[in-house]
Amino acid sequence: MKDKRREDAWAEIHDLTLAKTVISHIKNGSTQLEAFEESASRLNRTAAACGFRWNKELRKKYETEINDAKLYRKKQKDQKRKDNVTVSGVLSLEDEITLPKYDEAFRQIIEIAKDQAHKFEQLKIENSKLRLEINALKNQKNNFDTIKSNEDVATEDLQTFLKIMNRARSLTSLNLNV
């Protein structure tokens, strides 16, 4: 039997495009997810397919390039820190006074974010409890409907029995009159 090749199989050029994009994103401090999305649009594939291909097949082949990109990124960060230290040494007294205000604002933002995260977790827990309660109520309703259905059947059977008894009584009284 002939080997069938998928129409959407990964070609070497696609692998190369994916690898270059991912390594470029690593080098520039971006995330691999963003690299997969960019590659997906270039290669007319999904980001998930690009991520799977990268992690399953290509990552091992490009380990040295990945390490080089990480080193480059680290050097760039270190250089930026040095530049920031130099700039902060040149700041005027007025600029230095406003910096703590920003620190306080950032602290407040972080506190608000933590509070919101805590509230979110509480809402998730409450949501889970409510879902359980809803399921319990649905089960109770189903049980009630079953009981009510059984009562309806019993009532119908009783009415049928009474009709039969009345007919029997009327037939008996007819036979006695004859």
Side-chain angles (χ1 to χ4, degrees), residues 25-31 69-85:
H25 276 261
I26 292 170
K27 193 175 189 180
N28 294 322
S30 179
T31 65
K70 288 179 179 178
L71 282 174
Y72 177 82
R73 183 180 67 211
K74 187 177 182 319
K75 286 179 184 177
Q76 291 294 81
K77 280 186 178 179
D78 291 343
Q79 184 61 41
K80 282 184 181 179
R81 283 189 192 130
K82 285 181 184 177
D83 291 346
N84 286 341
V85 168

Side-chain angles (χ1 to χ4, degrees), residues 28-42:
N28 294 322
S30 179
T31 65
Q32 289 184 17
L33 291 175
E34 290 173 350
F36 299 151
E37 289 172 5
E38 182 181 331
S39 297
S41 65
R42 286 184 180 178

Side-chain angles (χ1 to χ4, degrees), residues 3-4 9 25 41 44 51 53-54 57 65 76-77 80 111 119 123 126 134 141 145 154 158 162 169 171-172 177:
D3 277 346
K4 285 191 172 182
H25 276 261
S41 65
N44 197 24
R53 180 68 177 180
W54 172 255
E57 300 291 331
E65 288 86 349
Q76 291 294 81
K77 280 186 178 179
K80 282 184 181 179
E111 285 301 314
K119 286 180 183 177
L123 287 173
E126 183 180 350
I134 287 170
K141 182 187 179 298
D145 288 346
L158 180 62
L162 291 174
R169 192 178 305 132
L171 284 176
T172 309
N177 292 337

Side-chain angles (χ1 to χ4, degrees), residues 152-171:
D152 291 344
V153 169
T155 303
E156 187 178 318
D157 287 349
L158 180 62
Q159 288 173 351
T160 304
F161 177 72
L162 291 174
K163 284 180 184 176
I164 292 171
M165 290 303 288
N166 285 335
R167 279 188 193 156
R169 192 178 305 132
S170 66
L171 284 176

Side-chain angles (χ1 to χ4, degrees), residues 118-133:
H118 180 68
K119 286 180 183 177
F120 178 73
E121 289 301 319
Q122 287 177 330
L123 287 173
K124 282 178 25 181
I125 292 168
E126 183 180 350
N127 189 338
S128 296
K129 288 179 182 176
L130 289 172
R131 286 181 189 270
L132 291 172
E133 191 176 327

